[in-house]
Amino acid sequence: MTIEEFYEDFKQNLSADSGDDFIQNSFIEKMCEVISEQGTMPDAELVGYKFTQRGIAVDAFAKDSERNRYVLVIADFRNTNKIETITNTDITKSLKRLDRFVEYCGKRDFVEALEESDPVFPLARYIFENRSTISFDFILITDAKISAKVKEITPAEYDIQFAKRCEVWDIQRLFELESSGRERETLEVDFTQYMPDGIECLRTSTGDALLQSFLFVLPGGILADLYEKYGERLFEQNVRTFLQFRGKVNKGIRNTIVQQPSMFFAYNNGLSATGEEVITDDNGTRIKKITNLQIVNGGQTTASIYTAWHKEHANLDGIFVQVKLSVVDSEKVNDIVPKISEYANTQNKVNAADFFSNHPFHLRIEEFSRRLWAPAADGSPRQTHWFYERARGQYANAQTKLSKVEASRFVALNPKDQMFTKTDLAKYYLTFNAMPFLVCLGAQKAFAGASGHKGFVSIIADEWSKHCNKDGDNTSINEVWYKTVIAQAILFKALNKRLASILRDLNYGSYKSVIIPYTLARFIHEIAKTEFSFDFGKVWQAQNVADTVMDNLLEIADSITHYFMDKQTNVSEFAKRETCWQEIQNLPVTLHGTIKPFLRYKDDAKDEQRSAQQAQKDLNKIHVLQYVVEKGEQYWWKLRDWDDGKHILSPKERGVLDIACKISLGRIPSDAQAKVLVAAEKRAIEEGFYVE
């Protein structure tokens, strides 16, 4: 795909999501989501504020509490037929608008003139009260392409007073990321910026080792600066979140830094880190650069050092941190890094350790999305797939080796607007399971959890474990579960598109992302009061939302919209609280009689789920047998040879293994035998069996 084709496809998808009337907001939402996924900023909130006469504007913002930093976002959205060029003059104009916004937020009359219900009010008030103690990053997002004459984007270059860093995300940068097949942009840490010769290291791996590994000692000041510069990008693979100084571990780290810095190295366990490439000096004794450095254990150490330095102005001259670095090839990152992280994180329970993109849940949803055909919607000549991207870049990677004709066919069968991600899945699931307040926290927090609430990760991990049988087979995540969540996606997307123009006319467009989950959750909650449940299967079959259902949703959305408008409070913040959901549950709404064809008795739904669980149980058996066959008899011979010297397997397991060693002769294990063999293989791996 060329950048021109990508641009056209990108515009069409924006329009499909929200309609032409709301396409700029859809663009801002999409770009902020991408930037958040990169770890550059937390989830953003749209504010859409402009004061044209004074040259002031801000479209979105994100608060990074750990670093006491605000990221302000402004859009230069052109929506033209061809890609335009954004020049230095254009960049200056946009960044200056953000700069003037921060400047005016220092004036009491400006802040007090804002309505409290205005989305920008809490941001402006906070800046007014704390401007001298917080730092700012400015990000310009645009569907244009940066001019080749633009060499460097820094605050000094554009005479920006308040920003510490400035950044531009243009259509070229988005295209390169989306087409790279990588989950995130490459991060390169150059240690020669701190020490001209690099960081002294000890190579601990041999030439025969599967992975290269190094040990080195990192000065605390360098670690703090890296966190200041890259923030959460250093922890993309880490499964734990920093708990500030509430936990004993963090208080201990902080106290040692401040009171006994000379003992820090002795007391602290150091960091476990990974990188995809390491550049050393000619002797291999100093590390100059690390590509995609990731701290997989030591997030608390890193954040504690940074916080002590940044907030308490602690002297870090005597702070040194031991680092164990494993060099992992990019193709093996998703397989190896989770294991390193899981094994390294032993101090606290790791709830999400098994929830990387290769967790069985994600693999099962991916399998459904590739295998199950969605019925042809009205007017469509073909069935299609809903493509689940369990790891960023899968959709693009699936097309890389295809011819133009093959790629066109792939897109026709897997439409871009039917591609969904882990955070999309979280949004749909939480909305329809009575947790709209979590959805309003933002994509990343809804997925991982925040504010004392479990996120999608923990909820599904618990669900997966709860419904696993003695053999570890889960049956609750089945085809009916999958079709239901796709139907929920259809409802979410359809309401999103219909509400765009309605909320624009009410000058309430900034709150669309709040009103949608609350509307859908309230609709399902009202149905739950009856003897019926909503029949998601009919939405799956139709692949659209009936007018009668949409009319009822729009009526509920209107009630919720006016409820928020009458509150005269900051809606974005209030919507994140469970108390908001409790109030909206009591909001009077009416179910139309016309939606009755889309309701069914709750007992019928339970019967369907029981049947689906049995079907999944049978499917799991097939998958186990398929796994045994696909491994091939050579693999099973290796296990047999290994066990000859170990005697780990029981006679029964050895008997099944003998059958698997003769697959080419037509000896296929039964379902029960395949299950025995897989269990035996798992135990053998725990005892040290390994095939590269």
Side-chain angles (χ1 to χ4, degrees), residues 423-444:
T423 53
D424 291 330
L425 189 60
K427 178 171 62 178
Y428 306 142
Y429 179 89
L430 294 173
T431 292
F432 286 88
N433 282 273
M435 290 172 276
F437 53 94
L438 289 183
V439 177
C440 293
L441 287 171
Q444 301 302 319

Side-chain angles (χ1 to χ4, degrees), residues 136 340 345 468 647:
F136 298 92
I340 295 174
N345 282 291
C468 276
H647 305 292

Side-chain angles (χ1 to χ4, degrees), residues 35-224:
I35 297 169
S36 176
E37 287 175 353
Q38 295 304 299
T40 301
M41 69 178 185
D43 290 315
E45 293 185 21
L46 271 62
V47 293
Y49 179 79
K50 287 180 175 60
F51 195 148
T52 307
Q53 293 167 319
R54 294 186 178 178
I56 301 172
V58 58
D59 287 301
F61 76 95
K63 181 181 180 181
D64 184 343
S65 300
E66 298 302 339
R67 293 185 287 171
N68 200 24
R69 179 185 66 131
Y70 270 76
V71 182
L72 304 185
V73 180
I74 191 166
D76 182 341
F77 181 66
R78 306 186 179 192
N79 194 26
T80 49
N81 291 328
K82 292 184 179 180
I83 300 173
E84 295 186 350
T85 298
I86 185 169
T87 64
N88 256 324
T89 301
D90 299 324
I91 295 172
T92 301
K93 184 178 179 181
S94 291
L95 295 179
K96 281 289 189 182
R97 286 175 174 170
L98 289 176
D99 212 39
R100 279 191 287 271
F101 172 75
V102 177
E103 177 189 349
Y104 270 80
C105 284
K107 302 177 180 181
R108 182 181 296 274
D109 59 342
F110 172 77
V111 176
E112 290 181 347
L114 296 170
E115 296 287 339
E116 280 195 40
S117 59
D118 193 316
V120 82
F121 176 74
L123 171 64
R125 182 178 60 186
Y126 188 87
I127 294 175
F128 172 71
E129 295 172 350
N130 302 277
R131 192 175 69 178
S132 62
T133 63
I134 57 178
S135 60
F136 298 92
D137 287 355
F138 292 171
I139 297 181
L140 167 61
I141 55 176
T142 179
D143 60 340
K145 184 178 178 180
I146 294 178
S147 167
K149 295 180 180 179
V150 177
K151 301 301 181 184
E152 189 176 16
I153 299 171
T154 63
E157 180 73 20
Y158 297 98
D159 192 28
I160 299 301
Q161 179 183 355
F162 292 101
K164 199 165 187 177
R165 292 184 181 84
C166 295
E167 194 172 348
V168 176
W169 273 82
D170 68 336
I171 196 68
Q172 177 74 39
R173 186 172 179 181
L174 181 64
F175 168 67
E176 289 173 356
L177 173 63
E178 296 281 356
S179 58
S180 69
R182 298 183 62 92
E183 291 205 36
R184 295 172 178 86
E185 289 186 307
T186 298
L187 171 67
E188 188 171 271
V189 176
D190 185 355
F191 286 111
T192 62
Q193 294 180 348
Y194 303 99
M195 298 180 174
D197 297 327
I199 298 282
E200 189 173 5
C201 67
L202 172 66
R203 186 191 296 269
T204 62
S205 56
T206 65
D208 297 330
L210 180 64
L211 300 178
Q212 289 188 70
S213 54
F214 298 86
L215 289 175
F216 60 94
V217 176
L218 194 62
I222 295 179
L223 183 59

Side-chain angles (χ1 to χ4, degrees), residues 329-396:
D329 184 85
S330 60
E331 295 181 358
K332 299 178 180 178
V333 164
N334 285 332
D335 293 327
I336 295 177
V337 172
K339 293 179 181 178
I340 295 174
S341 186
E342 179 182 359
Y343 301 152
N345 282 291
T346 56
Q347 292 175 335
N348 295 331
K349 182 181 178 182
V350 183
N351 292 323
D354 294 327
F355 216 76
F356 285 89
S357 57
N358 57 351
H359 183 279
F361 168 81
H362 295 301
L363 294 172
R364 182 171 294 179
I365 299 301
E366 179 185 50
E367 188 269 329
F368 287 150
S369 78
R370 307 298 192 268
R371 176 170 60 83
L372 297 178
W373 290 97
D378 292 342
S380 174
R382 59 167 66 88
Q383 294 179 309
T384 57
H385 290 299
W386 282 77
F387 190 100
Y388 181 51
E389 197 175 58
R390 66 178 174 86
R392 186 177 184 84
Q394 281 185 314
Y395 189 81

Side-chain angles (χ1 to χ4, degrees), residues 542-662:
Q543 289 293 295
N544 60 33
V545 181
D547 290 341
T548 52
V549 174
M550 182 56 70
D551 289 344
N552 206 160
L553 288 172
L554 291 175
E555 183 180 290
I556 295 172
D558 183 67
S559 296
I560 290 175
T561 300
H562 285 89
Y563 161 81
F564 280 129
M565 293 174 77
D566 292 342
K567 287 289 287 187
Q568 287 298 306
T569 188
N570 180 253
V571 173
S572 296
E573 287 301 313
F574 181 60
K576 297 173 184 177
R577 303 174 190 167
E578 194 169 1
T579 52
C580 177
W581 172 230
Q582 291 167 352
E583 288 189 18
I584 285 183
Q585 287 179 66
N586 295 322
L587 196 68
V589 300
T590 302
L591 293 177
H592 296 175
T594 52
I595 71 165
K596 191 170 183 179
F598 294 90
L599 303 180
R600 60 177 178 171
Y601 287 107
K602 290 177 180 177
D603 287 343
D604 291 340
K606 290 178 181 178
D607 289 341
E608 182 186 38
Q609 183 57 229
R610 278 192 287 269
S611 297
Q613 288 179 341
Q614 182 58 50
Q616 187 61 47
K617 184 177 180 180
D618 296 337
L619 197 59
N620 289 345
K621 292 178 182 178
I622 295 172
H623 286 162
V624 171
L625 182 57
Q626 183 180 2
Y627 171 84
V628 170
V629 173
E630 289 179 350
K631 277 291 186 179
E633 64 180 42
Q634 288 187 352
Y635 175 83
W636 299 118
W637 269 109
K638 290 178 181 178
L639 175 57
R640 193 178 189 279
D641 291 341
W642 175 86
D643 190 58
D644 284 342
K646 301 288 185 180
H647 305 292
I648 299 296
L649 305 186
S650 68
K652 179 181 179 180
E653 292 168 337
R654 289 281 297 196
V656 177
L657 181 58
D658 288 342
I659 296 174
C661 289
K662 299 175 183 177

Side-chain angles (χ1 to χ4, degrees), residues 26 31 39 42 81 127 150 155 245 309 321-322 325 329 333 341 344 407 415 417 465 485 487 508 522 594 620 665 674:
S26 186
M31 294 299 292
N81 291 328
I127 294 175
V150 177
F245 288 147
W309 167 72
V321 185
Q322 173 186 294
L325 176 72
D329 184 85
V333 164
S341 186
D417 63 348
S465 299
V485 84
Y508 220 63
R522 184 65 184 86
T594 52
N620 289 345
L665 300 178

Side-chain angles (χ1 to χ4, degrees), residues 164-319:
K164 199 165 187 177
R165 292 184 181 84
C166 295
E167 194 172 348
V168 176
W169 273 82
D170 68 336
I171 196 68
Q172 177 74 39
R173 186 172 179 181
L174 181 64
F175 168 67
E176 289 173 356
L177 173 63
E178 296 281 356
S179 58
S180 69
R182 298 183 62 92
E183 291 205 36
R184 295 172 178 86
E185 289 186 307
T186 298
L187 171 67
E188 188 171 271
V189 176
D190 185 355
F191 286 111
T192 62
Q193 294 180 348
Y194 303 99
M195 298 180 174
D197 297 327
I199 298 282
E200 189 173 5
C201 67
L202 172 66
R203 186 191 296 269
T204 62
S205 56
T206 65
D208 297 330
L210 180 64
L211 300 178
Q212 289 188 70
S213 54
F214 298 86
L215 289 175
F216 60 94
V217 176
L218 194 62
I222 295 179
L223 183 59
D225 189 71
L226 290 176
Y227 186 64
E228 168 81 357
K229 186 180 295 184
Y230 300 115
E232 293 304 311
R233 293 185 68 189
L234 292 173
F235 306 101
E236 291 161 5
Q237 293 284 0
N238 200 346
V239 296
R240 290 193 296 179
T241 55
F242 177 54
L243 305 175
Q244 298 179 336
F245 288 147
R246 291 173 298 193
K248 293 181 180 178
V249 173
N250 292 315
K251 288 180 180 177
I253 294 173
R254 179 261 178 203
N255 291 338
T256 303
I257 294 169
V258 175
Q259 299 169 10
Q260 295 178 287
S262 62
M263 298 303 296
F264 185 88
F265 188 82
Y267 290 164
N268 189 263
N269 290 330
L271 312 179
S272 292
T274 64
E276 293 182 18
E277 183 182 5
V278 172
I279 297 176
T280 65
D281 62 4
D282 293 339
N283 297 322
T285 59
R286 287 185 173 273
I287 294 176
K288 293 187 172 183
K289 292 182 181 179
I290 301 176
T291 300
N292 288 331
L293 173 67
Q294 291 287 277
I295 297 171
V296 295
N297 183 42
Q300 295 185 49
T301 294
T302 304
S304 296
I305 289 174
Y306 172 80
T307 305
W309 167 72
H310 183 70
K311 293 184 178 179
E312 301 187 46
H313 308 291
N315 188 334
L316 300 182
D317 289 347
I319 304 298

